[in-house]
Amino acid sequence: MILSNSIYLKIIIIQFPLYYNFCMANKKKYISPSQLNGISVYHEQKRTVYSPFFSSRGYVISENNIREYISYVQSYLIAIILFLVSYIIYRKFWISALLSLAFIASTIFIFYRNFLSKANVIEDYRKPDKDSFVQRQANSMKEKDIWTIIVCSPLLSLSILIHSWLNHYEGFMFYMMIFIAVVSLIYGILHIIVLVRKKKNL
């Protein structure tokens, strides 16, 4: 029997907070500043620095503020979930876009006002050269975590495609689901390269 959108929505609403809390609990328990990745994150010998590409300042990420930093970064995932759930409810692109943009804007405002204002500031920070994404992932991730991504990414991609087919999505929502499925699959394939690089470095 084909599940209705309302049932899928209930599953998303009930399961996502449990999954999110589980992942965040593991992140908070194991991650250190040296394991962070990101376009604006730079690792030096004794410190990790966040420096936006449009700024000459650097902000030190320490053991004391790393959990707060991660919570702000993870908010972009919540914005994507918010967009998809609101689109399922209202079926209007502009409502979903406005809700997601408002959430992101408020998160960025709080991030700059509450997080960066309290972090140790490095004036005129000179950004060092960065390793490639593959190399950073190979250096920071455990092998079992890489395997988890390799296995789960195609499964997620397949489940998204099945969900779209069962619910007969059309138009924007259909293309959005296809895009997410493709990105998920590419992400898994990319981590096969990460795994090969990590084994070479051992």
Side-chain angles (χ1 to χ4, degrees):
M1 183 177 66
I2 297 177
L3 296 176
S4 66
N5 285 340
S6 61
I7 296 177
Y8 270 105
L9 181 58
K10 291 177 181 177
I11 293 173
I12 291 172
I13 292 174
I14 293 172
Q15 294 297 327
F16 175 72
L18 298 176
Y19 174 77
Y20 180 78
N21 289 334
F22 172 77
C23 291
M24 287 305 297
N26 288 336
K27 287 287 186 182
K28 291 178 181 179
K29 184 176 180 181
Y30 298 111
I31 199 166
S32 67
S34 62
Q35 294 176 298
L36 290 177
N37 284 316
I39 297 175
S40 300
V41 175
Y42 298 88
H43 297 289
E44 300 178 353
Q45 187 173 1
K46 295 183 179 180
R47 65 186 179 185
T48 299
V49 179
Y50 170 80
S51 182
F53 68 93
F54 55 81
S55 174
S56 60
R57 286 185 172 185
Y59 303 88
V60 178
I61 301 176
S62 65
E63 296 289 347
N64 295 328
N65 62 11
I66 186 172
R67 294 184 180 183
E68 188 176 0
Y69 174 82
I70 292 174
S71 66
Y72 286 118
V73 173
Q74 293 285 333
S75 65
Y76 290 100
L77 173 62
I78 298 175
I80 295 174
I81 302 262
L82 175 63
F83 178 89
L84 294 175
V85 171
S86 60
Y87 190 86
I88 291 173
I89 296 174
Y90 300 108
R91 291 291 182 174
K92 292 186 181 295
F93 172 80
W94 66 271
I95 294 178
S96 302
L98 284 177
L99 288 174
S100 299
L101 289 175
F103 180 83
I104 292 174
S106 61
T107 300
I108 292 175
F109 175 78
I110 296 172
F111 176 71
Y112 276 86
R113 185 176 181 86
N114 291 351
F115 178 78
L116 296 185
S117 62
K118 298 177 183 177
N120 293 331
V121 180
I122 306 170
E123 299 289 350
D124 298 322
Y125 179 68
R126 298 184 64 180
K127 300 177 176 66
D129 294 332
K130 298 188 67 172
D131 294 329
S132 66
F133 172 79
V134 170
Q135 188 61 53
R136 294 198 306 271
Q137 292 290 86
N139 292 339
S140 63
M141 295 185 67
K142 297 179 180 179
E143 187 171 325
K144 65 177 182 179
D145 295 330
I146 299 174
W147 273 111
T148 300
I149 292 176
I150 292 173
V151 173
C152 291
S153 292
L155 293 177
L156 174 62
S157 180
L158 181 62
S159 66
I160 291 172
L161 293 176
I162 293 175
H163 173 73
S164 302
W165 177 70
L166 290 176
N167 288 275
H168 306 288
Y169 284 139
E170 297 179 352
F172 172 81
M173 193 61 179
F174 172 76
Y175 293 113
M176 173 64 74
M177 289 294 184
I178 294 295
F179 174 77
I180 295 174
V182 171
V183 170
S184 175
L185 184 60
I186 293 175
Y187 192 69
I189 294 173
L190 184 60
H191 277 77
I192 296 176
I193 303 174
V194 172
L195 181 63
V196 173
R197 179 69 60 86
K198 187 172 186 68
K199 286 185 175 295
K200 286 183 178 180
N201 293 341
L202 293 178

